[in-house]
């Protein structure tokens, strides 16, 4: 088609233009691929497997975007040939249509279709396709230009979401790494010979209420104290989400519950590994999040100001999550204060899933994932409208709705990075179970491989015993006398169960 609404086709385009554009696109694509590959090598060399897996997740998202792009590009001509009555495209519009030409009140539907609104739609697609629908006295279901804009929006949404997740984990991780000095200080006090001798000489029975952790969180008994506890938890997330006494107490509670035989356990290092494991789950866009995208796009109707109201969803959710995590710490303090009057030595709290919503700490990670995605959606939609349609576009909305959305978006990003995510990293360790990050990377691989070999050996032995069952009692082991590898097999089963429990914390019943 020459001289049509879409311009010259490839048949009449100079070859040097095609070659230059193709070269630029290929060069940019290869540079991006090499950059991701190099980043993956760096993470592998630094033994950062969780972050490497998160990078793989990002690559999967980019591959999905590429498939979506290909699908939209290939099917755009087909989609633009879907013709519908004009009345169907006059409802649920993000913007009001421009003023149309005056028409006779007795005009037929065909006259309405030939009006200014339909002529504007005709100009958005190729003349052949428009002619296809015009002959049927209908309009295209979705124009080529609208498909192109939708394509760009999906791409911007994915990029902004990944970027925001990375920024959140980077800043939150920087906050958590500041706690390393607390870990080093505790290790020096507990394992340095001179310090240990001094602490043992000073070890005595003290009132529970003299401990700093109890002073900060225990607000008395009764209903009033419960209300004050929630208010204290709500406020504390803004100025001192985790103090040194919080860290030291929860660290000791975790070690005494899960690592009693290893008092030198590096809790801070374990917490970082666990956070990196969870990061690879947050960085992806799950199917249910795409469902939310469709719902939000559906509700973007002129006059509803939908994107202003839904901006408060992640805002209130974030405050609720932060308050709940702080309240878990308060509950730990109240449990000790209500059960003991005085204790000898250090104060020890008891981790339990009872403190979390529906006894599932994993719900907190799901909510953080949704909060980050929803906030990314808000910011991505703003920038997409700004670039695609300009700030004064009707779809952007009034300035009084835009400014609060941006302020809320920035507030969510900052609070989630510096308060909620660090709270999540430490407080979710106060559940009944522990995460598989408790094992070092090499130990995880070694235990899993060894357990699989033991299981395979046990299955082989069972097959041999079964096949030789008819050979008489002399062919098996002496009754009451266990075989030489029974002990190793039972140990292998126990280790396999341990690895399975670590890999599936939701099935962990807390037994050690």
């Amino acid at each position: 088609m020459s001289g049509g609404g879409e311009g010259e086709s490839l048949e009449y385009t100079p070859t040097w233009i095609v070659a230059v554009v193709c070269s630029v696109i290929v060069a940019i694509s290869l540079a991006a691929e090499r950059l991701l590959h190099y980043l993956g090598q760096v993470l592998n060399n630094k033994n950062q497997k969780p972050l490497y897996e998160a990078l793989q997740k990002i690559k999967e998202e980019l591959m999905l975007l590429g498939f979506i792009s290909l699908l939209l590009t290939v099917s755009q001509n087909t989609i633009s040939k879907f013709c519908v009555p004009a009345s169907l495209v006059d409802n649920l519009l993000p913007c009001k249509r421009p003023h149309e030409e005056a028409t006779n009140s007795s005009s037929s539907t065909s006259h309405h279709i030939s009006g200014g609104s339909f002529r504007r739609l005709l100009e958005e697609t190729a003349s052949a396709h428009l002619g296809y629908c015009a002959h049927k006295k209908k309009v295209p279901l979705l124009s080529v230009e609208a498909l192109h804009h939708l394509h760009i929006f999906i791409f911007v949404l994915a990029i902004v979401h990944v970027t925001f997740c990375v920024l959140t984990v980077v800043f939150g991780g920087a906050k958590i790494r500041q706690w390393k000095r607390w870990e080093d200080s505790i290790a020096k006090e507990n394992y340095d010979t001179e310090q240990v001798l001094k602490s043992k000489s000073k070890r005595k029975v003290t009132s529970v209420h003299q401990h700093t952790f109890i002073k900060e969180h225990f607000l008395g008994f009764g209903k009033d104290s419960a209300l004050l506890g929630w208010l204290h938890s709500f406020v504390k997330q803004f100025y001192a989400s985790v103090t040194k006494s919080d860290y030291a107490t929860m660290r000791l509670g975790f070690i005494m519950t899960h690592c009693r035989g290893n008092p030198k356990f590096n809790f801070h290092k374990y917490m970082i590994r666990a956070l990196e494991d969870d990061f690879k789950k947050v960085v992806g866009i799950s199917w249910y999040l795409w469902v939310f995208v469709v719902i939000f796009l559906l509700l973007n109707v002129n006059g509803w100001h939908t994107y202003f109201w839904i901006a408060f969803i992640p805002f209130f959710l974030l405050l609720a999550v932060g308050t709940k995590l702080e309240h878990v710490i308060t509950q730990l303090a109240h449990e000790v204060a209500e059960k003991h009057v005085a204790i000898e030595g250090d104060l020890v709290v008891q981790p339990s899933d009872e403190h979390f919503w529906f006894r599932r700490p994993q719900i907190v990670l799901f909510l953080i994932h949704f909060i980050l995605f929803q906030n990314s959606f808000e910011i991505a939609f703003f920038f997409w409208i700004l670039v695609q349609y300009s700030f004064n576009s009707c779809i952007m909305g009034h300035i009084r709705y835009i400014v609060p959305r941006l302020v809320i978006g920035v507030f969510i990003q900052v609070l989630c990075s510096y308060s909620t995510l660090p709270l999540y990293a430490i407080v979710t360790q106060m559940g009944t179970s522990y995460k598989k990050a408790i094992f070092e990377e090499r130990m995880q691989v070694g235990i899993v491989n060894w357990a699989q070999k033991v299981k395979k050996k046990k299955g082989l032995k069972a097959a041999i015993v079964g096949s030789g069952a008819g050979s008489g009692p002399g062919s098996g082991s002496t009754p009451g006398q266990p075989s030489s590898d029974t002990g190793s097999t039972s140990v292998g089963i126990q280790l396999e169960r341990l690895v399975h429990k670590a890999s599936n914390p939701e099935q962990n019943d807390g037994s050690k």
Side-chain angles (χ1 to χ4, degrees):
M1 176 180 63
S2 179
E6 296 295 320
E8 299 287 0
S9 69
L10 202 62
E11 297 171 299
Y12 304 101
T13 303
T15 55
W16 69 269
I17 297 178
V18 176
V20 169
V21 173
C22 186
S23 299
V24 172
I25 293 175
V26 171
I28 295 175
S29 301
L30 289 177
E33 191 276 334
R34 285 291 91 191
L35 178 62
L36 292 175
H37 178 73
Y38 174 74
L39 182 58
Q41 286 184 327
V42 172
L43 294 176
N44 259 337
N45 294 337
K46 290 187 176 181
N47 239 356
Q48 299 287 339
K49 186 176 180 181
L51 293 180
Y52 175 77
E53 292 179 352
L55 181 64
Q56 297 301 113
K57 192 74 175 179
I58 293 175
K59 287 184 178 181
E60 290 178 10
E61 294 298 329
L62 292 176
M63 184 179 70
L64 177 62
L65 288 174
F67 181 76
I68 293 175
S69 174
L70 177 64
L71 189 63
L72 288 174
T73 302
V74 171
S75 61
Q76 65 180 7
N77 290 335
T78 303
I79 294 175
S80 62
K81 283 186 177 181
F82 279 97
C83 304
V84 295
S87 58
L88 290 182
V89 299
D90 284 333
N91 301 314
L92 300 177
L93 298 176
C95 292
K96 290 184 179 179
R97 295 190 185 279
H99 182 66
E100 297 182 359
E101 296 178 0
T103 56
N104 194 314
S105 58
S106 62
S107 297
S108 64
T109 304
S110 60
H111 291 156
H112 172 73
I113 294 175
S114 61
S117 175
F118 181 59
R119 283 200 301 272
R120 186 175 62 84
L121 290 173
L122 294 182
E123 294 171 358
E124 293 178 346
T125 55
S127 58
H129 298 158
L130 290 170
Y132 179 82
C133 292
H135 290 153
K136 296 183 177 183
K137 298 183 179 180
K138 295 181 179 181
V139 296
L141 177 66
L142 194 66
S143 68
V144 174
E145 183 179 356
L147 273 172
H148 176 65
H149 293 172
L150 181 62
H151 176 196
I152 294 176
F153 171 71
I154 293 174
F155 177 79
V156 171
L157 172 61
I159 295 300
V160 171
H161 174 65
V162 170
T163 303
F164 274 32
C165 287
V166 171
L167 290 176
T168 302
V169 173
V170 167
F171 293 128
K175 177 75 172 179
I176 295 171
R177 285 179 175 84
Q178 293 178 5
W179 302 344
K180 188 177 186 300
R181 66 178 185 271
W182 296 343
E183 181 77 27
D184 297 337
S185 174
I186 295 170
K188 184 177 180 181
E189 292 175 3
N190 293 340
Y191 312 125
D192 183 77
T193 306
E194 294 182 3
Q195 293 291 340
V196 169
L197 292 175
K198 290 180 181 179
S199 63
K200 284 186 176 180
S201 64
K202 296 179 180 179
R203 190 179 182 91
K204 59 180 180 179
V205 176
T206 57
S207 171
V208 168
H209 296 278
Q210 291 181 3
H211 286 266
T212 306
F213 180 72
I214 301 299
K215 289 179 180 178
E216 292 179 351
H217 296 283
F218 185 69
L219 302 173
F221 300 93
K223 295 182 179 179
D224 292 339
S225 67
L227 178 60
L228 289 175
W230 281 106
L231 290 175
H232 175 262
S233 300
F234 173 78
V235 175
K236 190 172 181 290
Q237 66 178 312
F238 298 111
Y239 68 92
S241 57
V242 179
T243 62
K244 184 177 181 179
S245 64
D246 295 339
Y247 180 85
T249 304
M250 288 188 282
R251 173 190 179 276
L252 183 60
F254 179 89
I255 292 177
M256 296 301 291
T257 303
H258 303 297
C259 311
R260 186 181 291 269
N262 182 20
K264 296 183 179 181
F265 178 75
N266 192 324
F267 178 71
H268 183 268
K269 190 174 181 181
Y270 155 73
M271 193 170 51
I272 293 291
R273 290 201 304 268
L275 181 62
E276 290 174 347
D277 276 338
D278 291 336
F279 171 58
K280 63 188 179 187
K281 302 174 185 176
V282 174
V283 74
I285 303 181
S286 304
W287 64 269
Y288 51 83
L289 297 180
W290 286 112
V291 172
F292 284 119
V293 170
V294 174
I295 294 174
F296 296 149
L297 291 176
L298 175 65
L299 297 177
N300 183 30
V301 179
N302 179 60
W304 290 12
H305 308 293
T306 304
Y307 292 126
F308 171 75
W309 299 114
I310 65 175
F312 290 93
I313 296 177
F315 175 73
F316 289 126
L317 278 179
L318 185 68
L319 295 180
V321 169
T323 303
K324 178 60 178 177
L325 291 174
E326 288 285 1
H327 193 254
V328 171
I329 305 177
T330 302
Q331 286 177 297
L332 294 173
H334 274 253
E335 278 189 351
V336 176
E338 291 171 358
K339 292 179 180 178
H340 304 281
V341 176
I343 57 174
E344 181 182 3
D346 296 321
L347 184 146
V348 179
V349 296
Q350 180 62 45
S352 173
D353 285 347
E354 295 287 344
H355 303 308
F356 296 90
W357 285 311
F358 306 106
R359 296 173 50 88
R360 295 181 66 87
Q362 298 86 355
I363 292 179
V364 179
L365 180 63
F366 168 80
L367 291 176
I368 291 177
H369 191 186
F370 176 77
I371 289 167
L372 289 176
F373 174 79
Q374 177 59 39
N375 194 48
S376 302
F377 179 86
E378 281 283 330
I379 302 300
F381 190 82
F382 170 79
F383 282 111
W384 175 65
I385 297 298
L386 184 64
V387 174
Q388 197 70 56
Y389 298 102
S390 81
F391 186 83
N392 296 322
S393 171
C394 62
I395 199 172
M396 178 70 82
H398 298 293
I399 187 71
R400 63 178 180 272
Y401 295 110
I402 299 172
V403 174
R405 284 168 53 190
L406 295 178
V407 172
I408 290 174
V410 174
F411 175 83
I412 289 174
Q413 190 65 30
V414 173
L415 184 65
C416 189
S417 299
Y418 288 102
S419 177
T420 310
L421 189 67
L423 268 172
Y424 164 80
I426 188 170
V427 175
T428 51
Q429 310 309 327
M430 294 298 100
T432 303
S433 63
Y434 53 81
K435 302 179 181 180
K436 66 178 181 179
I438 197 171
F439 300 108
E440 292 283 355
E441 183 64 32
R442 294 179 181 177
M443 186 180 294
Q444 289 183 35
V445 176
I447 291 177
V448 171
N449 290 340
W450 188 75
Q452 289 176 348
K453 289 179 181 178
V454 172
K455 185 177 180 180
K456 184 177 180 180
K457 184 178 180 181
K458 180 185 175 185
L460 181 61
K461 180 185 175 183
I464 294 174
V465 172
S467 62
S471 302
S475 60
S477 59
T478 304
Q481 180 68 30
S483 60
S484 59
D485 61 345
T486 300
S488 64
T489 301
S490 62
V491 173
I493 294 173
Q494 293 296 326
L495 276 175
E496 185 181 0
R497 289 175 179 172
L498 183 64
V499 174
H500 178 72
K501 183 172 72 170
S503 303
N504 302 272
E506 67 276 3
Q507 300 177 9
N508 181 10
D509 59 358
S511 58
K512 300 177 281 299

